[in-house]
């Protein structure tokens, strides 16, 4: 996720302080990985330097002065361009799990155990996400569906790999 573009998009509804941006980000996108304040302010500094935001006002506070940021026309154009650009599909051709399976075979360890352990971990996470989806609002349901679909694809791969483990062992140990 592009944090800069996300913060710019949040600014389109009106000027905000860094604290407000962090809170809005965490509420909409950061339930699993909240944004750190330092990340907000370093991103805002970069966006300011690049002319994508401007300081709309400065207010004294209990600590440092509070800057209120507003998106510029260039920032709006940048967000529009980012939204219109499709994300590159990730083919997962450098999978850590695949590497573990091959290394287990190369070192004469039980690759089936690795697949079984991973399957259990995927199923555990799927139960958690299914429960979260059941209790969540529509936005939470959609993000959980996204994760669940990826986990289901991983499970299909785990089953396929387990079924081909003997053939894979022949190929990689030659």
């Amino acid at each position: 996720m592009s944090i800069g573009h996300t913060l710019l998009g949040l600014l389109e509804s009106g000027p905000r302080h860094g604290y407000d941006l962090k809170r809005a980000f965490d509420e909409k996108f950061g339930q699993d990985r909240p944004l750190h304040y330092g990340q907000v302010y370093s991103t805002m500094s970069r966006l300011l330097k690049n002319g994508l935001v401007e300081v709309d006002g400065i207010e004294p506070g209990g600590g440092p002065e509070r800057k209120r940021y507003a998106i510029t026309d260039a920032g709006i154009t940048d967000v529009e361009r980012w939204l219109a650009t499709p994300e590159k599909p990730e083919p997962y051709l450098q999978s850590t799990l695949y590497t573990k399976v091959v290394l287990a075979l190369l070192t004469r360890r039980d690759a089936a155990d690795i697949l079984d352990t991973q399957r259990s971990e995927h199923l555990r996470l799927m139960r958690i996400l299914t429960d979260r989806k059941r209790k969540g609002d529509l936005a939470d349901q959609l993000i959980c569906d996204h994760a669940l679909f990826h986990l289901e694809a991983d499970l299909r791969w785990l089953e396929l790999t387990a079924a081909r483990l003997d053939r894979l062992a022949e190929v990689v140990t030659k």
Side-chain angles (χ1 to χ4, degrees), residues 14-165:
R16 299 182 190 214
H17 297 97
Y19 174 83
D20 297 328
L21 283 168
K22 181 206 175 337
R23 192 176 65 224
F25 180 96
D26 289 351
E27 180 183 305
K28 299 290 185 199
F29 311 107
Q31 182 173 353
D32 297 308
R33 281 190 14 204
L35 207 53
H36 296 284
Y37 284 105
Q39 208 170 2
V40 171
Y41 293 110
S42 65
T43 301
M44 295 312 295
S45 291
R46 183 177 42 80
L47 295 173
L48 186 62
K49 185 178 103 177
N50 292 335
L52 302 176
V53 298
E54 61 191 8
V55 174
D56 186 57
I58 298 176
E59 301 168 8
E65 293 179 328
R66 296 181 57 197
K67 293 179 185 173
R68 189 175 54 246
Y69 298 96
I71 191 168
T72 63
D73 289 341
I76 293 170
T77 301
D78 198 55
V79 171
E80 287 172 349
R81 188 175 321 127
W82 179 68
L83 290 172
T85 304
E87 290 297 306
K88 181 180 176 193
E90 297 180 33
Y92 300 105
L93 294 177
Q94 293 296 320
S95 165
T96 302
L97 183 54
Y98 173 77
T99 301
K100 286 183 174 186
V101 169
V102 170
L103 284 175
L105 293 170
L106 288 172
T107 59
R108 309 278 188 238
R109 289 183 172 90
D110 192 348
D113 280 350
I114 291 171
L115 295 171
D116 288 341
T117 300
Q118 192 63 51
R119 184 180 304 103
S120 294
E121 185 61 18
H122 271 61
L123 291 171
R124 184 190 70 76
L125 181 56
M126 289 176 83
R127 283 189 294 275
I128 291 168
L129 289 169
T130 300
D131 185 55
R132 176 176 159 185
K133 177 182 164 181
R134 200 173 12 255
K135 295 174 183 174
D137 61 10
L138 180 59
D140 213 32
Q141 291 169 12
L142 289 171
I143 196 66
C144 287
D145 279 339
H146 187 265
L148 285 164
F149 293 152
H150 282 275
L151 290 168
E152 287 173 6
D154 287 349
L155 283 175
R156 287 196 315 268
W157 181 85
L158 288 165
E159 294 301 323
L160 179 66
T161 303
R164 295 178 174 175
L165 212 45

